[in-house]
Amino acid sequence: MSGWEAVVGIETHVELQTASKMFCGCPVVFGAEPNTTTCPVCLGLPGAMPVPNEEAIEGILRIGTALDCEIAEHSVFHRKNYFYPDLPKNYQISQYDVPICHDGSVEIDVDGDASVIGITRVHMEEDTGKSIHVGEGGRIHGAEHSLVDFNRSGVPLVEIVSEPDLRSPEQAREYGAELQRIVRALGVSDVRLEEGSMRFDANISVRRAGDVEYGTRTEVKNVNSLRSLQRAIAHEIERQIGVLESGEPVVQETRHWSEDLGATTLMRSKEESEDYRYFLEPDLVPMRVDASWQARVREALPELPAARRARYKGLGVDRRTAAVLAAAPDIADLFDAAVSAGADVRLSGIWVTGELVAYLRAGDRALDETAVEPDHLAELSAMVTGGRLSATAAKEVLGGVLDGDGSPGEVAAARDLLQITDAGAIESAVAAVIGEHADAFAKLREGDEKVLGFLVGQVMRATGGKADPRQVSELLRSKAGG
Amino acid sequence: MRGAEAADAAFAAGEVQGPLQGIPVALKDNMCTRGMPTTCSSKILDGYEPPYDATVAARLRAGGAVIVGKTNLDEFAMGSSTENSAYGPTFNPWDPATVPGGSSGGSAAAVAAGTALVALGSDTGGSIRQPASLCGIVGMKPTYGLVSRYGLIAFASSLDQIGPMTRTVADAVALLETVAGFDPLDATSYRGEVPSFGRSLEAGVAGLRIGVVTELTSEGIDSQVLGAVTSMLDDLAEAGADISEVSLPSTTYGLPAYYLIAPAECSANLARFDGVRYGLRVEGETTEEMMARTRAEGFGPEVVRRVLLGTYALSAGYYDAFYGRALRVRTLIRRDFERAYEDVDVLVSPTSPTTAFAVGERAADPLAMYYSDVCTIPSNLTGDPGISVPIGVDDAGLPIGFQVMAPALEEERLFRVAAEVERLAAFSARPALATSEVVAS
Amino acid sequence: MPIDIDIAKVARLARIALGEEELERYGAQLTAILEAAEQVQALPTEGVEPTSHPLPSTNAFRPDVVTASLPRVEILAAAPETEDGYFKVPRILEAP
């Protein structure tokens, strides 16, 4: 794409995990039997009326505040009118010209290259139901008929609209990932892309490098993974450049990303552009978020991923570990508590982002389903730094702790993993090995370091692996150099 | 009638539930009643039985009232004559060659004819007061938000309000007190304490300042109607009221503003009738076609007209010129009323520019029909309460209604004046067809 | 402003299938009504705030509490066509 510049803006939809829906008391659950969590309101039955869920408003205020937005003291809901079978009222309650949060930003970092992405607005709306297309492999085109499930109808949905500030597929992916981390840190949504609780629409255009005017854009709708987001944008940029280089204009249209084809395909043209006939929702009254409510939200915000990463950097945590921690607030909280309890920063970082994450993933478990406590990590850490446990054995002990087999001390003792810390015992084992392997020891004395590993190995074997190899090699060196 | 028997038993057992214990109430058929068809007099909802009760229905039941039936209306409450019903027109019990007014014509006729003692109607542009006027009964539109709209099948949400239609002012008070008050299911319902509305029914009007609306007592109002209103004003003056004339210049624009705002809201409110989840479906090759055919077949011409009008008024390029303008006019009308209420306690006018008109007379001319609501529309635009009280009959023996309007939440004052009008009018005429067949769906 | 209505487009937006004759009739009626409604443009409204709603209140919220949903059998009973617990519709031409 040399000579070309991509301009990308992203609309991100996040379903809030409130107990009940946006405008009625039906539960917000994933995977229920079709049409079992609906009521007159979310089914759009005649006469039913919406009443907004205060917790959802609180949720969007948390998101808006975390994205450094201005919070509108007064905002209103509008009706967005369009006919679609999974939209029960055939209008969506949304926000139009007065969104509840606007003019924010988020900082992203791609391989050390930091940029600030503007957030145009963050507004509140309701989700639609779901249509299943029967026949033609579930594709809308050519399907014989469709089936509609309204369980998702009315789930609180937050739309985060970015400025067209993104310039590459990598940046777009990182932007999506950072939003996911932020929302997860706020605890307002599980942001599971695979379940659709977070999804993206990307607006993409290209222009000649140095041009000021934007090119004609296309919209790629309903992208549901970060990988797809990056690939869809990359593909669409390529496609648009190809079109322009062949002398054709880019047509403003909505496209669909097919993961299977690895390409975007035309969904519909915008010739008869949508006329949503927005008007103020007369069944609702305006929202007023005064300064004290705004302050309460701000004060209640948890530490956000960017702040965490900066703090970990200050603690000496390596970049990768810091990034993993910042993306997983529950694990990071465990890490913080362990460090506060005296655990070694480096060791705890390795354990929680390595063994712990692998353990959770393998068993598809949540952190609170394990038995690990911050004190456990502190104890384990002390055992390793004190030489009573090898780094390798520590990982095995951690596995036992996670399984609920007891504290690190108990697990290590039960599995016979404790190292010999008795100096005399190690000393005699070293002396025995020197006696057995006099030739090798002589080479060591002559400065041949290559044999050190062999000698340490012999001592480890003699002690059944329970000596601290660092202590052993120090002892061998001092005897050789002494 | 099982409800009435249960109520009788409860009454006999001394378990009096409320002021409406055992009272037969008719509900306009745009209020949802669980397990009882609710059709809005539309083919698109033929046979539809809601799985829930409107809040008013639930409150009536809780108050011991017996819902005896659902009454006919202009389809989706759009009309002023109750001729636009998929179930056929309702006739005026005073003269079956004339209309009962609308859209709550079924409720008005039922009460006038004695088929129901009291009824609930809904009023978007005069749909309670105008038929009450044409049928010689009391019809009252409360302050917007005072009665929950939950379960009222919406026509124009910012204008709709449920209210009582009764033989007497006192009955209207009792019925309103039963159904009014905050409802957590209606975000636009009034959250404050609901005062007692009937405390001042006997207080008279001495010392009260009554403003006669110039724009609603001049051209376009039938001379016999004006005559009756003027004579009532004399009586009120004699009873000690301070009568003055008040000009509300913006109200002239109330009618056109209303005919942009109400259709705009209805175009969205009626979008849900699409053949997917309930009601009529006319098959089509595609969902788009099925929906469009269902709506063409299911909606009558007046509904189609208003949905198209509202769709146009909201569409890109026309919003500012029509809908946006109308909303600003609404502000100006509110200001006129606010200013007027600095000088007077209540405002009065005829309820309807004419008495009951002949069946079919205005059916072909939408604009003539729309003019029927010219006196009642301003209260819907402002959200203020209004009431129609019968004060006499014209030469043809058809009833004439007198409208009293008051500032928001001043129901007590409104009823106080209405009660005095009722006493002064001593209206005792009865309709010719006191057992007229009232078309109920 | 002369009234100019693309009545076929309005009917499409409103999802109402109308024949040529009906379109013409409604188009004429709408024109007449809008010409009358144009009066609203005669009133000077510069600087006047729109009133969308007669109610002065704000923040009518409900607590985040789950209430009972309707039994599926009851909601599907009202539907014109269902299949396997879903509402069934003909094939869909346009994506939203």
Side-chain angles (χ1 to χ4, degrees):
Chain A
M1 61 177 276
S2 98
W4 293 93
E5 181 182 54
V7 175
V8 178
I10 293 181
E11 292 163 22
T12 308
H13 285 96
V14 176
E15 283 182 355
L16 298 183
Q17 251 75 45
T18 43
S20 63
K21 291 185 180 180
M22 183 66 224
F23 295 115
C24 64
C26 287
V28 174
V29 286
F30 181 81
E33 283 291 298
N35 295 306
T36 52
T37 59
T38 63
C39 74
V41 176
C42 58
L43 270 178
L45 296 193
M49 294 179 69
V51 183
N53 182 341
E54 185 159 22
E55 194 59 30
I57 303 302
E58 193 76 30
I60 191 172
L61 290 174
R62 281 165 74 83
I63 292 175
T65 307
L67 296 175
D68 210 16
C69 287
E70 299 204 15
I71 307 298
E73 192 167 329
H74 283 269
S75 68
V76 292
F77 285 105
H78 273 72
R79 290 184 182 177
K80 178 181 180 179
N81 296 286
Y82 65 96
F83 283 86
Y84 202 71
D86 64 20
L87 184 64
K89 301 182 293 297
N90 287 312
Y91 60 81
Q92 182 188 34
I93 303 178
S94 182
Q95 294 195 283
Y96 180 49
D97 51 359
V98 197
I100 191 162
C101 313
H102 58 94
D103 292 305
S105 65
V106 60
E107 198 175 320
I108 59 164
D109 187 319
V110 177
D111 301 328
D113 195 358
S115 35
V116 175
I117 308 304
I119 301 291
T120 315
R121 57 187 285 154
V122 180
H123 74 247
M124 188 85 242
E125 56 188 32
E126 54 178 340
D127 210 343
T128 63
K130 266 185 188 165
S131 312
I132 297 169
H133 308 298
V134 179
E136 277 297 306
R139 303 253 302 147
I140 183 169
H141 295 295
E144 286 154 18
H145 62 269
S146 296
L147 301 174
V148 192
D149 170 15
F150 290 100
N151 283 346
R152 199 182 67 179
S153 167
V155 168
L157 197 61
V158 169
E159 181 171 334
I160 303 166
V161 182
S162 87
E163 289 288 300
D165 286 347
L166 298 156
R167 292 289 172 270
S168 72
E170 295 72 26
Q171 270 196 337
R173 179 185 187 144
E174 178 53 25
Y175 167 79
E178 183 68 0
L179 283 189
Q180 192 183 24
R181 288 179 208 118
I182 291 170
V183 173
R184 192 181 287 140
L186 296 171
V188 296
S189 171
D190 58 11
V191 280
R192 283 179 197 265
L193 290 137
E194 66 282 8
E195 288 179 2
S197 61
M198 185 178 203
R199 39 192 203 264
F200 306 101
D201 301 335
N203 286 291
I204 303 150
S205 65
V206 298
R207 61 183 172 190
R208 291 277 177 195
D211 276 4
V212 181
E213 295 286 310
Y214 292 137
T216 303
R217 65 172 198 212
T218 60
E219 185 177 18
V220 180
K221 269 192 148 3
N222 276 323
V223 182
N224 53 16
S225 82
L226 292 169
R227 179 171 172 271
S228 297
L229 182 65
Q230 181 175 351
R231 292 184 68 202
I233 292 170
H235 173 271
E236 190 54 22
I237 292 170
E238 284 301 315
R239 191 191 67 84
Q240 289 188 16
I241 292 173
V243 167
L244 291 170
E245 287 187 339
S246 71
E248 299 289 319
V250 169
V251 179
Q252 186 175 350
E253 59 198 13
T254 303
R255 301 183 67 85
H256 167 80
W257 167 251
S258 163
E259 193 63 53
D260 298 338
L261 298 176
T264 65
T265 53
L266 178 65
M267 225 161 100
R268 72 183 128 86
S269 73
K270 295 216 172 184
E271 268 169 34
E272 192 154 291
S273 79
E274 297 94 341
D275 188 343
Y276 291 127
R277 291 160 283 134
Y278 281 100
F279 74 103
L280 196 114
E281 165 57 281
D283 284 338
L284 296 173
V285 298
M287 290 179 282
R288 183 163 183 274
V289 185
D290 60 15
S292 74
W293 189 356
Q294 293 181 29
R296 251 187 299 134
V297 170
R298 207 173 308 116
E299 280 155 24
L301 280 194
E303 188 179 32
L304 296 173
R308 264 201 209 266
R309 285 191 298 262
R311 182 163 61 80
Y312 291 149
K313 195 178 165 195
L315 273 179
V317 177
D318 69 84
R319 226 178 111 97
R320 196 201 69 87
T321 304
V324 175
L325 286 174
D330 52 346
I331 293 172
D333 287 343
L334 171 69
F335 170 82
D336 286 345
V339 171
S340 301
D344 178 75
V345 167
R346 195 184 64 86
L347 287 173
S348 324
I350 291 168
W351 291 332
V352 298
T353 63
E355 276 61 42
L356 175 60
V357 167
Y359 177 88
L360 297 178
R361 210 169 275 161
D364 194 22
R365 273 173 283 228
L367 181 59
D368 58 13
E369 294 170 55
T370 73
V372 69
E373 297 291 338
D375 285 345
H376 291 147
L377 295 179
E379 184 186 343
L380 192 63
S381 171
M383 288 166 75
V384 173
T385 52
R388 281 176 290 141
L389 197 65
S390 73
T392 317
K395 293 180 179 180
E396 192 183 332
V397 170
L398 180 57
V401 171
L402 287 165
D403 278 335
D405 294 348
S407 71
E410 288 161 359
V411 174
R415 301 191 183 184
D416 199 16
L417 292 167
L418 285 171
Q419 297 189 139
I420 303 164
T421 48
D422 174 5
I426 295 175
E427 183 104 17
S428 61
V430 167
V433 167
I434 290 172
E436 269 173 58
H437 302 280
D439 295 355
F441 187 66
K443 282 186 184 162
L444 185 63
R445 291 189 94 137
E446 286 156 21
D448 184 356
E449 284 274 322
K450 278 181 292 190
V451 295
L452 180 62
F454 168 75
L455 292 168
V456 171
Q458 292 305 312
V459 177
M460 295 305 289
R461 212 171 92 180
T463 58
K466 288 186 198 164
D468 177 357
R470 249 178 319 145
Q471 203 183 343
V472 172
S473 67
E474 271 164 33
L475 202 57
L476 282 164
R477 268 214 194 86
S478 74
K479 285 193 184 296
Chain B
M1 275 321 213
R2 223 173 307 140
E5 281 163 23
D8 283 348
F11 192 77
E15 304 160 10
V16 177
Q17 289 163 294
L20 295 188
Q21 184 67 31
I23 299 290
V25 183
L27 252 56
K28 187 178 181 178
D29 201 22
N30 59 352
M31 299 172 208
C32 289
T33 41
R34 188 184 170 91
M36 210 172 168
T38 302
T39 67
C40 278
S41 294
S42 180
K43 199 171 163 185
I44 212 160
L45 276 179
D46 194 18
Y48 175 67
E49 289 189 9
Y52 75 105
D53 261 341
T55 297
V56 288
R59 287 188 180 175
L60 284 173
R61 294 191 211 270
V66 183
I67 296 171
V68 286
K70 306 295 287 290
T71 57
N72 200 17
L73 62 149
D74 284 300
E75 185 180 1
F76 285 103
M78 296 177 197
S80 309
S81 66
T82 317
E83 291 168 294
N84 309 326
S85 165
Y87 303 98
T90 294
F91 302 109
N92 192 320
W94 293 77
D95 176 359
T98 66
V99 301
S103 62
S104 310
S107 284
V111 172
T115 346
L117 189 60
V118 296
L120 285 180
S122 69
D123 190 314
T124 307
S127 281
I128 288 174
R129 291 162 290 161
Q130 185 259 10
S133 176
L134 269 51
C135 289
I137 63 165
V138 173
M140 189 261 180
K141 181 198 91 77
T143 301
Y144 184 86
L146 200 56
V147 178
S148 167
R149 292 186 294 118
Y150 188 79
L152 169 68
I153 300 178
F155 161 17
S157 314
S158 80
L159 303 163
D160 294 344
Q161 186 58 193
I162 293 172
M165 303 178 81
T166 57
R167 219 71 78 62
T168 67
V169 173
D171 284 352
V173 170
L175 185 52
L176 180 60
E177 284 181 342
T178 304
V179 296
F182 175 65
D183 177 10
L185 298 176
D186 175 358
T188 66
S189 96
Y190 174 66
R191 303 177 90 83
E193 276 293 301
V194 173
S196 162
F197 303 122
R199 269 187 308 215
S200 312
L201 292 185
E202 306 299 326
V205 292
L208 274 186
R209 298 165 303 167
I210 296 177
V212 184
V213 181
T214 311
E215 288 75 10
L216 302 180
T217 46
S218 46
E219 53 175 317
I221 309 294
D222 176 84
S223 61
Q224 290 189 47
V225 170
L226 267 188
V229 167
T230 308
S231 144
M232 174 50 66
L233 290 170
D234 291 345
D235 293 349
L236 286 165
E238 210 161 295
D242 174 5
I243 313 277
S244 60
E245 211 170 280
V246 176
S247 175
L248 305 171
S250 304
T251 52
T252 316
Y253 300 92
L255 196 60
Y258 174 83
Y259 279 98
L260 294 170
I261 293 169
E265 293 185 16
C266 98
S267 72
N269 282 332
L270 270 59
R272 69 189 62 195
F273 302 100
D274 61 3
V276 175
R277 287 146 293 129
Y278 42 78
L280 180 74
R281 170 183 288 191
V282 178
E283 291 305 331
E285 278 293 296
T286 64
T287 285
E288 290 81 355
E289 193 176 85
M290 178 276 285
M291 286 181 176
R293 285 185 181 171
T294 297
R295 292 163 62 75
E297 177 73 25
F299 291 147
E302 183 59 27
V303 173
V304 170
R305 193 149 48 230
R306 297 205 200 184
V307 168
L308 293 175
L309 181 59
T311 303
Y312 175 82
L314 287 174
S315 62
Y318 305 102
Y319 180 99
D320 290 333
F322 290 107
Y323 185 68
R325 247 341 150 91
L327 296 182
R328 291 185 162 79
V329 169
R330 193 172 180 181
T331 306
L332 294 175
I333 292 171
R334 279 176 67 124
R335 285 187 193 162
D336 275 4
F337 274 83
E338 280 163 20
R339 210 172 301 124
Y341 285 129
E342 287 170 14
D343 300 323
V344 298
D345 298 308
V346 293
L347 289 164
V348 300
S349 75
T351 307
S352 164
T354 66
T355 55
F357 45 92
V359 172
E361 184 186 314
R362 298 179 191 171
D365 183 353
L367 284 169
M369 185 69 88
Y370 296 172
Y371 190 74
S372 313
D373 293 329
V374 68
C375 301
T376 45
I377 278 172
S379 309
N380 298 88
L381 292 172
T382 60
D384 296 341
I387 190 168
S388 179
V389 181
I391 53 168
V393 293
D394 68 4
D395 291 349
L398 294 170
I400 296 167
F402 183 86
Q403 179 177 231
V404 184
M405 297 170 275
L409 300 170
E410 294 293 349
E411 265 76 6
E412 187 187 336
R413 191 192 301 165
L414 184 87
F415 282 124
R416 175 182 169 185
V417 176
E420 184 65 17
V421 169
E422 186 178 50
R423 267 191 299 274
L424 292 169
F427 183 78
S428 58
R430 300 289 301 135
L433 303 175
T435 51
S436 137
E437 191 183 317
V438 178
V439 179
S441 56
Chain C
M1 191 171 110
I3 304 294
D4 138 52
I5 305 177
D6 182 349
I7 190 72
K9 185 183 169 197
V10 174
R12 212 157 46 239
L13 271 175
R15 278 280 195 288
I16 303 179
L18 297 175
E20 280 306 315
E21 210 175 294
E22 290 168 302
L23 285 173
E24 206 167 300
R25 191 172 66 244
Y26 284 116
Q29 288 171 342
L30 255 60
T31 305
I33 297 166
L34 286 165
E35 273 165 2
E38 262 190 315
Q39 284 179 58
V40 296
Q41 291 161 12
L43 210 56
T45 54
E46 286 88 60
V48 178
E49 281 291 305
T51 295
S52 294
H53 214 274
L55 217 65
S57 70
T58 57
N59 290 358
F61 297 129
R62 60 178 189 86
D64 185 21
V65 174
V66 173
T67 53
S69 295
L70 287 173
R72 180 164 76 182
V73 56
E74 203 169 330
I75 64 161
L76 293 181
E81 206 176 348
T82 63
E83 186 175 300
D84 299 336
Y86 292 90
F87 293 89
K88 186 176 175 185
V89 296
R91 68 196 169 85
I92 302 168
L93 269 191
E94 301 162 32

